Amino acid sequence: MKFSIIFQLLLSSLLFFHNCHQCQATKRYRFELREAKYRRLCRSKKILTVNGKFPGPTISAHRGDTVIVDVINNGNYNVTIHWHGAPMNRYPWTDGPEYITQCPIPPGGKFKQRIILGDEEGTIWWHAHSNWTRATVHGAFIIYPTLGTIYPFPKPHAQLPIILGEWWKVDIQTLYYATVRTGGDPNVSDSFLINGQPGDLYPCSKQDTFKLKVVQGKTYLLRIINAVMQNLMFFGVANHKLTVVGSDGSYTKPFTSNYIAISPGQTIDVLLEANQTPKRYYMAARVYERTLSVSIDNTTTTAIIQYDSLDDSTPPLLPILPNSSDLNASIRFTNSLRSLASKDHPVKVPLKITKRLFYTLSINTLVCQEEDGNTCQGPNNTRLAASVNNISFVNPNISILEAYYHNMINGNFMTNFPDKPPKMFNYTAPFLPIKLELPKRGTKVKVLDYNETVELTFQGTSVVDGADHPMHLHGYSFYVVGSGLGNFDKDKDPFNYNLVDPPFQNTIAVPYKGWTTIRFRANNPGVWFMHCHVDRHLTWGMETVFIVTNGKTPESRILPPPPDMPPC
Ligand SMILES: *[C@@H]1O[C@H](CO)[C@@H](O)[C@H](O)[C@H]1NC(C)=O
Ligand SMILES: *[C@@H]1O[C@H](CO)[C@@H](O)[C@H](O)[C@H]1NC(C)=O
Ligand SMILES: *[C@@H]1O[C@H](CO)[C@@H](O)[C@H](O)[C@H]1NC(C)=O
Ligand SMILES: *[C@@H]1O[C@H](CO)[C@@H](O)[C@H](O)[C@H]1NC(C)=O
Ligand SMILES: *[C@@H]1O[C@H](CO)[C@@H](O)[C@H](O)[C@H]1NC(C)=O
Ligand SMILES: *[C@@H]1O[C@H](CO)[C@@H](O)[C@H](O)[C@H]1NC(C)=O
Ligand SMILES: *[C@@H]1O[C@H](CO)[C@@H](O)[C@H](O)[C@H]1NC(C)=O
Ligand SMILES: *[C@@H]1O[C@H](CO)[C@@H](O)[C@H](O)[C@H]1NC(C)=O
Ligand SMILES: *[C@@H]1O[C@H](CO)[C@@H](O)[C@H](O)[C@H]1NC(C)=O
Ligand SMILES: *[C@@H]1O[C@H](CO)[C@@H](O)[C@H](O)[C@H]1NC(C)=O
Ligand SMILES: *[C@@H]1O[C@H](CO)[C@@H](O)[C@H](O)[C@H]1NC(C)=O
Ligand SMILES: [Cu+2]
């Protein structure tokens, strides 16, 4: 009798936690942007940080929580912060991209940013979204399962973010303005970083090496984030297999691999079992770059995994990573990602499509102008540019969201972004006529009706040169239903789409001279940026904006703006 009451109480409390709609919490953080001195590669420099930390503080929350961050700019320049992977349902106001959803926060200014989470579980991140300030202004954003629910894999002994970063000896703003001024490729970086440290393969960096102590037999959850500016990366751990369990805040079917391929903007969650002889092992990352005409930083960043019971003297082993131009290795990994597609984590891929879009992604060149002093450092004395459907995006002077919301579209942007490229050509042919290289420049957006089901095929091209483009969409995650090399064939390729367990990403690398198709339901009204997450391509114009209109019900309308929007 007593037992059964206790049992029922236990059961109902379990059920209560399981259906825990009320236990969504609001968490608060304070982010102060300020300069701090950091010494790396034998040299000190001042960098812009959040709270003096590099990488910045980790935000953690449970699924469905709301997080409020008081952002205070005590740095020297305009800046904005973006919550990469948070859907911000109906609330684009504090999403962050400068001149898209807000004007920047000026030095001395403040902005209270509300972050609205949805069904994400796993790892997302946050970063600055104004010019190249994100190089040092970024951090992890961990989303735990709702209280009372569990991971769809055995609970790890411990977990930690592994943030891949990129470091230049010069100031990042100097690099940005030099790149914009000369029109050429930016100088390659001086090192890559793991959790802010280059690792001991670089000069003066023995102390600047991240170390992870592990206990034999235990399993660790590594939440790997690619915060690198300009490159896709390979990552691995010597002698250890990695079990991939999530990506971009969504669980995946577990699979094991000796390495991962991760593009800027993406996160990959892996389980690492400390099951090797107690020694020291390197985890390491280096560039994946298929475009052979660009220079790369070919250095390797490392961190050390050290079993607890051990002599410190053995030199660590390096993992064998794929060759830095190994397109196949990159594709093989990306194509292994599958949604978990379980009862608790179902797949809701749209099956009936109401809007089909086909977007080409190109590197371009612009004619060098008189005001450039007639010397530009792009190929053949041009300025490099980039485009989507041959439109190289130009930032407006006031934010698109504010212009849209306050009905000031005219003169600020146009709504005629094309659904397909203006010209058909053999997109991925090895040689293309030079006259295809010149893009149009403009501030054009695509309007989507609320609740439309969108299928968008990205087609990489070989205009100027092919490249891998990690495309990121704000406000949504999307299902990646297919990809391939060469030109997309609309009659054949759709038959091979995965509509059963496609991965649910917010960033996906469109392969070098290849294509990728994504699907999503446009059920989040607002103004949403979509761009290549390679920062030089973003700076050159490889981006556009979706405006998703309000629906008919009050619950499908944009919420009103906060009172403290930074002024334009
Ligand atoms: C970013 O750079 C552009 C020039 O390329 C400049 O107009 C803009 O104000 C800069 N933004 C910030 C936040 O500094
Ligand atoms: C880029 O590299 C060149 C050659 O090493 C150097 O002269 C130039 O100052 C560098 N530019 C920046 C912005 O660091
Ligand atoms: C990396 O590049 C440098 C300079 O281009 C070259 O000297 C070096 O051999 C390269 N290292 C590797 C491992 O490819
Ligand atoms: C990568 O592979 C290519 C082709 O197999 C080869 O030419 C190149 O030397 C390799 N590079 C490295 C760094 O191993
Ligand atoms: C890459 O994969 C393609 C098709 O699967 C194959 O033909 C090619 O030989 C592979 N290349 C390398 C370098 O492995
Ligand atoms: C922004 O303002 C400048 C100066 O008034 C003007 O030249 C430029 O065309 C404007 N840009 C856009 C996209 O409207
Ligand atoms: C496109 O270019 C590739 C590579 O040169 C060639 O194999 C293919 O036949 C071309 N396709 C068309 C439709 O011309
Ligand atoms: C892009 O537009 C420009 C200007 O109209 C044109 O010269 C160029 O050929 C177009 N390129 C492509 C790939 O459509
Ligand atoms: C959106 O479309 C779905 C599927 O057609 C439908 O079930 C739902 O009611 C629609 N939502 C709204 C708000 O129109
Ligand atoms: C530069 O000029 C050469 C010679 O005209 C041409 O073959 C090459 O394609 C040009 N490169 C670019 C990126 O336009
Ligand atoms: C900072 O942002 C304000 C508002 O958009 C703008 O007027 C100003 O030019 C920006 N300053 C810099 C250095 O980019
Ligand atoms: Cu790109």
Side-chain angles (χ1 to χ4, degrees):
M1 178 67 178
K2 249 191 186 153
F3 269 136
S4 99
I5 289 174
I6 291 171
F7 179 74
Q8 281 195 4
L9 276 174
L10 203 68
L11 193 71
S12 62
S13 69
L14 277 176
L15 283 175
F16 171 76
F17 276 119
H18 196 74
N19 305 310
C20 195
H21 298 302
Q22 291 84 1
C23 39
Q24 282 159 1
T26 300
K27 294 194 70 174
R28 285 168 195 277
Y29 288 84
R30 183 177 186 274
F31 272 25
E32 186 202 358
L33 287 150
R34 62 167 189 257
E35 301 275 323
K37 210 178 223 181
Y38 274 78
R39 189 175 174 82
R40 295 286 180 271
L41 311 174
C42 330
R43 218 190 274 190
S44 288
K45 72 166 182 173
K46 275 194 172 166
I47 59 172
L48 187 65
T49 66
V50 167
N51 301 349
K53 293 197 172 133
F54 175 65
T58 297
I59 294 181
S60 61
H62 290 275
R63 172 174 173 154
D65 283 353
T66 295
V67 178
I68 291 174
V69 184
D70 281 302
V71 179
I72 298 140
N73 187 359
N74 286 333
N76 298 329
Y77 28 82
N78 285 344
V79 75
T80 69
I81 311 277
H82 166 56
W83 321 98
H84 181 123
M88 311 293 286
N89 199 20
R90 303 168 58 199
Y91 198 70
W93 299 104
T94 61
D95 185 48
E98 67 168 338
Y99 301 113
I100 307 300
T101 60
Q102 68 171 90
C103 285
I105 310 169
K110 288 184 190 178
F111 191 28
K112 188 189 281 294
Q113 297 192 237
R114 184 144 58 108
I115 308 160
I116 299 177
L117 300 174
D119 292 341
E120 308 68 46
E121 252 180 70
T123 309
I124 59 173
W125 61 301
W126 58 267
H127 60 80
H129 216 304
S130 34
N131 295 340
W132 292 358
T133 45
R134 84 167 172 85
T136 57
V137 178
H138 60 248
F141 194 140
I142 296 175
I143 307 171
Y144 297 110
T146 323
L147 285 174
T149 68
I150 54 171
Y151 298 114
F153 45 81
K155 189 166 186 259
H157 174 67
Q159 50 174 295
L160 68 158
I162 296 290
I163 303 178
L164 308 182
E166 191 166 14
W167 186 267
W168 282 262
K169 287 180 184 166
V170 295
D171 173 62
I172 195 72
Q173 292 295 91
T174 306
L175 180 76
Y176 169 81
Y177 283 105
T179 304
V180 170
R181 193 183 64 247
T182 63
D185 262 312
N187 284 1
V188 297
S189 49
D190 297 295
S191 86
F192 294 100
L193 309 168
I194 293 179
N195 289 350
Q197 317 265 20
D200 56 15
L201 302 186
Y202 295 93
C204 335
S205 302
K206 194 157 172 45
Q207 302 312 313
D208 298 332
T209 305
F210 179 76
K211 289 201 180 74
L212 169 63
K213 285 225 160 105
V214 299
V215 178
Q216 177 137 39
K218 304 281 189 198
T219 297
Y220 297 79
L221 171 57
L222 311 184
R223 300 173 176 275
I224 306 162
I225 297 167
N226 188 348
V228 164
M229 299 296 285
Q230 312 291 7
N231 298 104
L232 290 77
M233 303 294 285
F234 288 127
F235 170 93
V237 179
N239 285 28
H240 292 72
K241 284 200 183 307
L242 304 171
T243 303
V244 177
V245 292
S247 177
D248 286 6
S250 180
Y251 295 119
T252 61
K253 288 202 169 71
F255 69 96
T256 59
S257 179
N258 291 328
Y259 69 95
I260 70 165
I262 184 166
S263 55
Q266 218 180 6
T267 73
I268 307 272
D269 287 357
V270 304
L271 296 175
L272 173 95
E273 203 186 325
N275 58 5
Q276 294 299 301
T277 43
K279 277 196 194 152
R280 303 199 309 155
Y281 299 90
Y282 276 128
M283 57 172 102
R286 72 158 183 225
V287 166
Y288 156 63
E289 175 61 80
R290 185 65 190 79
T291 312
L292 302 176
S293 62
V294 302
S295 319
I296 56 165
D297 173 351
N298 62 7
T299 61
T300 301
T301 177
T302 55
I304 294 174
I305 292 187
Q306 180 162 340
Y307 281 68
D308 58 348
S309 55
L310 155 89
D311 68 283
D312 211 25
S313 57
T314 48
L317 283 168
L318 266 174
I320 299 162
L321 293 176
N323 185 320
S324 60
S325 62
D326 194 341
L327 173 64
N328 283 12
S330 171
I331 292 176
R332 212 181 311 127
F333 179 84
T334 301
N335 288 356
S336 304
L337 294 169
R338 294 272 184 283
S339 276
L340 186 55
S342 67
K343 189 165 139 285
D344 292 335
H345 302 282
V347 161
K348 296 175 203 155
V349 55
L351 298 176
K352 225 182 110 209
I353 298 300
T354 59
K355 179 59 76 190
R356 282 203 161 74
L357 305 172
F358 185 78
Y359 287 5
T360 50
L361 308 174
S362 299
I363 305 296
N364 302 95
T365 56
L366 296 168
V367 178
C368 197
Q369 300 295 324
E370 234 168 89
E371 63 261 31
D372 300 319
N374 294 321
T375 56
C376 295
Q377 286 171 18
N380 300 335
N381 188 35
T382 60
R383 296 181 67 80
L384 283 162
S387 64
V388 181
N389 276 352
N390 203 37
I391 293 166
S392 187
F393 190 85
V394 177
N395 273 351
N397 291 323
I398 70 167
S399 88
I400 292 187
L401 174 59
E402 288 163 287
Y404 166 68
Y405 192 80
H406 300 295
N407 254 314
M408 304 189 301
I409 297 178
N410 284 346
N412 287 304
F413 65 90
M414 296 202 286
T415 55
N416 58 352
F417 189 87
D419 290 359
K420 55 182 175 45
K423 266 187 207 156
M424 292 258 289
F425 58 98
N426 191 345
Y427 305 114
T428 54
F431 302 102
L432 288 169
I434 276 195
K435 64 179 193 304
L436 292 177
E437 285 183 6
L438 184 73
K440 287 195 187 72
R441 302 182 77 237
T443 311
K444 292 175 191 282
V445 312
K446 171 70 193 165
V447 178
L448 295 170
D449 289 335
Y450 180 78
N451 217 21
E452 264 185 300
T453 46
V454 182
E455 178 177 289
L456 165 52
T457 300
F458 295 109
Q459 174 70 62
T461 77
S462 43
V463 177
V464 181
D465 203 347
D468 292 77
H469 298 294
M471 297 305 292
H472 172 51
L473 176 58
H474 291 220
Y476 291 88
S477 287
F478 46 75
Y479 292 99
V480 182
V481 298
S483 70
L485 295 178
N487 299 338
F488 174 70
D489 182 337
K490 71 173 175 21
D491 299 319
K492 289 204 186 109
D493 289 322
F495 289 107
N496 295 322
Y497 284 168
N498 173 6
L499 303 176
V500 177
D501 59 358
F504 196 47
Q505 304 287 134
N506 61 53
T507 307
I508 190 68
V510 178
Y512 174 84
K513 297 192 188 181
W515 58 271
T516 297
T517 300
I518 65 170
R519 287 186 178 187
F520 63 97
R521 176 181 294 279
N523 56 7
N524 184 11
V527 169
W528 305 113
F529 203 23
M530 187 178 71
H531 61 93
C532 181
H533 221 286
V534 167
D535 269 48
R536 61 184 192 281
H537 297 174
L538 169 61
T539 297
W540 294 338
M542 190 176 284
E543 62 254 17
T544 185
V545 169
F546 287 118
I547 292 184
V548 177
T549 60
N550 282 331
K552 295 201 175 73
T553 58
E555 306 76 51
S556 58
R557 294 179 167 276
I558 296 187
L559 294 166
D564 58 343
M565 286 302 289
C568 285

Short mmCIF file of all heavy atoms in Angstrom, two decimals, residues 448-465:
data_model
loop_
_atom_site.label_atom_id
_atom_site.label_comp_id
_atom_site.label_asym_id
_atom_site.label_seq_id
_atom_site.Cartn_x
_atom_site.Cartn_y
_atom_site.Cartn_z
N LEU A 448 9.68 35.50 -48.47
CA LEU A 448 9.00 34.20 -48.41
C LEU A 448 7.70 34.38 -47.64
O LEU A 448 7.68 35.06 -46.61
CB LEU A 448 9.87 33.17 -47.66
CG LEU A 448 11.19 32.78 -48.31
CD1 LEU A 448 12.03 31.95 -47.33
CD2 LEU A 448 10.96 32.00 -49.60
N ASP A 449 6.63 33.77 -48.14
CA ASP A 449 5.37 33.83 -47.40
C ASP A 449 5.47 32.92 -46.19
O ASP A 449 6.06 31.84 -46.26
CB ASP A 449 4.20 33.38 -48.28
CG ASP A 449 3.89 34.42 -49.35
OD1 ASP A 449 4.21 35.60 -49.12
OD2 ASP A 449 3.35 34.02 -50.41
N TYR A 450 4.83 33.37 -45.12
CA TYR A 450 4.81 32.57 -43.90
C TYR A 450 4.34 31.14 -44.19
O TYR A 450 3.37 30.94 -44.92
CB TYR A 450 3.88 33.22 -42.86
CG TYR A 450 3.83 32.43 -41.59
CD1 TYR A 450 4.87 32.54 -40.67
CD2 TYR A 450 2.78 31.56 -41.32
CE1 TYR A 450 4.86 31.79 -39.50
CE2 TYR A 450 2.76 30.80 -40.15
CZ TYR A 450 3.81 30.92 -39.26
OH TYR A 450 3.81 30.17 -38.12
N ASN A 451 5.06 30.18 -43.63
CA ASN A 451 4.69 28.75 -43.70
C ASN A 451 4.96 28.10 -45.07
O ASN A 451 4.57 26.95 -45.28
CB ASN A 451 3.22 28.54 -43.30
CG ASN A 451 3.03 27.25 -42.52
OD1 ASN A 451 3.97 26.72 -41.96
ND2 ASN A 451 1.80 26.74 -42.50
N GLU A 452 5.58 28.84 -46.00
CA GLU A 452 5.96 28.19 -47.25
C GLU A 452 6.96 27.08 -46.95
O GLU A 452 7.77 27.21 -46.02
CB GLU A 452 6.63 29.19 -48.21
CG GLU A 452 5.65 29.78 -49.20
CD GLU A 452 6.32 30.69 -50.21
OE1 GLU A 452 6.94 31.68 -49.81
OE2 GLU A 452 6.21 30.38 -51.41
N THR A 453 6.95 26.02 -47.76
CA THR A 453 7.98 24.99 -47.63
C THR A 453 9.00 25.22 -48.73
O THR A 453 8.67 25.24 -49.92
CB THR A 453 7.36 23.59 -47.72
OG1 THR A 453 6.47 23.56 -48.83
CG2 THR A 453 6.61 23.24 -46.46
N VAL A 454 10.21 25.43 -48.32
CA VAL A 454 11.25 25.89 -49.23
C VAL A 454 12.25 24.77 -49.51
O VAL A 454 12.69 24.08 -48.59
CB VAL A 454 12.01 27.09 -48.61
CG1 VAL A 454 13.07 27.63 -49.57
CG2 VAL A 454 11.04 28.19 -48.22
N GLU A 455 12.58 24.61 -50.78
CA GLU A 455 13.70 23.75 -51.15
C GLU A 455 14.70 24.65 -51.87
O GLU A 455 14.37 25.32 -52.84
CB GLU A 455 13.24 22.63 -52.08
CG GLU A 455 14.41 21.76 -52.53
CD GLU A 455 13.96 20.59 -53.40
OE1 GLU A 455 13.33 19.66 -52.87
OE2 GLU A 455 14.24 20.63 -54.61
N LEU A 456 15.90 24.66 -51.34
CA LEU A 456 16.93 25.56 -51.88
C LEU A 456 18.15 24.74 -52.26
O LEU A 456 18.72 24.05 -51.42
CB LEU A 456 17.27 26.61 -50.81
CG LEU A 456 18.53 27.45 -50.98
CD1 LEU A 456 18.61 28.12 -52.33
CD2 LEU A 456 18.58 28.52 -49.89
N THR A 457 18.51 24.81 -53.56
CA THR A 457 19.72 24.13 -54.01
C THR A 457 20.82 25.18 -54.17
O THR A 457 20.63 26.17 -54.89
CB THR A 457 19.49 23.41 -55.35
OG1 THR A 457 18.46 22.44 -55.16
CG2 THR A 457 20.76 22.71 -55.84
N PHE A 458 21.93 24.97 -53.47
CA PHE A 458 23.11 25.82 -53.65
C PHE A 458 23.98 25.14 -54.70
O PHE A 458 24.29 23.95 -54.57
CB PHE A 458 23.93 25.90 -52.37
CG PHE A 458 23.24 26.59 -51.22
CD1 PHE A 458 22.81 25.86 -50.12
CD2 PHE A 458 23.06 27.96 -51.23
CE1 PHE A 458 22.20 26.49 -49.05
CE2 PHE A 458 22.45 28.60 -50.15
CZ PHE A 458 22.02 27.87 -49.06
N GLN A 459 24.40 25.92 -55.70
CA GLN A 459 25.28 25.38 -56.73
C GLN A 459 26.61 26.14 -56.67
O GLN A 459 26.65 27.33 -56.97
CB GLN A 459 24.63 25.54 -58.11
CG GLN A 459 25.53 25.15 -59.27
CD GLN A 459 25.77 23.65 -59.36
OE1 GLN A 459 24.85 22.86 -59.54
NE2 GLN A 459 27.04 23.24 -59.22
N GLY A 460 27.67 25.45 -56.26
CA GLY A 460 28.99 26.05 -56.34
C GLY A 460 29.37 26.21 -57.80
O GLY A 460 28.93 25.42 -58.64
N THR A 461 30.16 27.22 -58.13
CA THR A 461 30.60 27.39 -59.51
C THR A 461 32.12 27.47 -59.56
O THR A 461 32.77 27.62 -58.52
CB THR A 461 30.04 28.67 -60.16
OG1 THR A 461 30.77 29.79 -59.68
CG2 THR A 461 28.55 28.84 -59.89
N SER A 462 32.66 27.40 -60.78
CA SER A 462 34.10 27.58 -60.91
C SER A 462 34.44 28.94 -61.50
O SER A 462 35.53 29.13 -62.02
CB SER A 462 34.72 26.43 -61.69
OG SER A 462 33.93 26.10 -62.80
N VAL A 463 33.51 29.89 -61.40
CA VAL A 463 33.82 31.27 -61.79
C VAL A 463 35.01 31.73 -60.92
O VAL A 463 34.97 31.56 -59.69
CB VAL A 463 32.60 32.20 -61.58
CG1 VAL A 463 32.96 33.64 -61.90
CG2 VAL A 463 31.43 31.74 -62.44
N VAL A 464 36.04 32.27 -61.53
CA VAL A 464 37.34 32.60 -60.91
C VAL A 464 38.01 31.33 -60.39
O VAL A 464 39.07 30.96 -60.84
CB VAL A 464 37.25 33.68 -59.81
CG1 VAL A 464 38.64 33.98 -59.24
CG2 VAL A 464 36.64 34.96 -60.37
N ASP A 465 37.38 30.66 -59.40
CA ASP A 465 37.85 29.36 -58.95
C ASP A 465 36.81 28.75 -58.03
O ASP A 465 36.12 29.48 -57.33
CB ASP A 465 39.20 29.49 -58.23
CG ASP A 465 39.98 28.17 -58.25
OD1 ASP A 465 39.38 27.13 -58.61
OD2 ASP A 465 41.17 28.19 -57.92
#
